[in-house]
Amino acid sequence: MAAPRENTRESRVGLGCTGLYVIAAFGLIISATVLCNYVKITGTDENGQAVSLARGIWKGQAFAGDGCGNLDGLDLGTRWKSAQAMSILGCFTGAMAIWPLVCACRKEITLPTVLNIGSNSLWSCLWSGLTLLMLTSNACKADFLTDVTCALDTGANCAIAATVLFFLASMSISCSIATATVVAAIEAEKNADAEKNADAEKNADAE
């Protein structure tokens, strides 16, 4: 079966949107991974002063007054480490989804390549969504503060946006393949009817 890109205007639009979704989502999951402010913690210290901490998946403020650096001295715990693993997987599968688009340029994209982009986009959707484990991890804890609240910050918003866009990319691929399948079926039916009519005309001429 021909690649979705070459059959109809609708399938080309679908694949084009997929490229835009994947590129944007990949940039967002990278941002979510490297930023220092995935979550924002606010609370009150022992002197009654309001304190705000920003923590990312891999770096951030371990204690009040720290800059954006490593998280030495903190017990990351299972969920924080799981979020780190999910961020790596999300970046990897996102790169696997975007690489065929970069390599293809103006060349024809085959159906297996399209399926590969779709499957990697779906996996990236899962991994980027699972980075939200940060919200229930030790990243949202600060024993030296009272009245602690933990909220989404820029990194988490990037992860949510990446999750949505990766999902849209996988759905766009599905629509492109469905469109190409329908078009191929219609063309096959037309060709079959044309052959039958041609055979009927030959038989009529022979008689």
Side-chain angles (χ1 to χ4, degrees), residues 1-4 15 18 96-97 100 109-123 169-170 173-178 181:
M1 185 177 67
L15 197 59
T18 299
M96 293 294 290
I109 298 180
T110 62
L111 181 60
T113 301
V114 173
L115 291 172
N116 179 55
I117 296 171
S119 62
N120 280 312
S121 295
L122 195 57
W123 280 115
S170 63
I173 286 288
S174 299
C175 292
S176 295
I177 294 174
T181 302

Side-chain angles (χ1 to χ4, degrees), residues 2-7 15 104-111 113:
R5 184 178 181 177
E6 63 182 7
N7 286 311
L15 197 59
C105 293
R106 296 183 180 180
K107 298 179 182 178
E108 203 62 56
I109 298 180
T110 62
L111 181 60
T113 301

Side-chain angles (χ1 to χ4, degrees), residues 13-146:
V13 169
L15 197 59
C17 288
T18 299
L20 294 176
Y21 294 151
V22 172
I23 292 170
F26 182 66
L28 286 166
I29 190 58
I30 290 291
S31 297
T33 300
V34 302
L35 286 175
C36 293
N37 55 342
Y38 193 100
V39 294
K40 182 179 181 180
I41 304 169
T42 55
T44 305
D45 64 14
E46 58 184 7
N47 297 319
Q49 299 294 321
V51 176
S52 177
L53 300 173
R55 289 176 178 171
I57 295 177
W58 291 94
K59 55 185 179 179
Q61 294 176 291
F63 302 99
D66 290 350
C68 177
N70 57 38
L71 300 165
D72 294 340
L74 289 181
D75 177 19
L76 300 187
T78 303
R79 293 187 179 183
W80 198 340
K81 291 178 180 178
S82 296
Q84 290 179 334
M86 296 303 105
S87 69
I88 293 174
L89 289 172
C91 292
F92 176 74
T93 53
M96 293 294 290
I98 201 173
W99 183 248
L101 296 172
V102 175
C103 292
C105 293
R106 296 183 180 180
K107 298 179 182 178
E108 203 62 56
I109 298 180
T110 62
L111 181 60
T113 301
V114 173
L115 291 172
N116 179 55
I117 296 171
S119 62
N120 280 312
S121 295
L122 195 57
W123 280 115
S124 298
C125 172
L126 175 63
W127 305 139
S128 57
L130 286 175
T131 62
L132 292 172
L133 286 169
M134 285 283 289
L135 296 173
T136 58
S137 72
N138 289 348
C140 282
K141 295 179 180 179
D143 296 335
F144 55 92
L145 298 178
T146 57

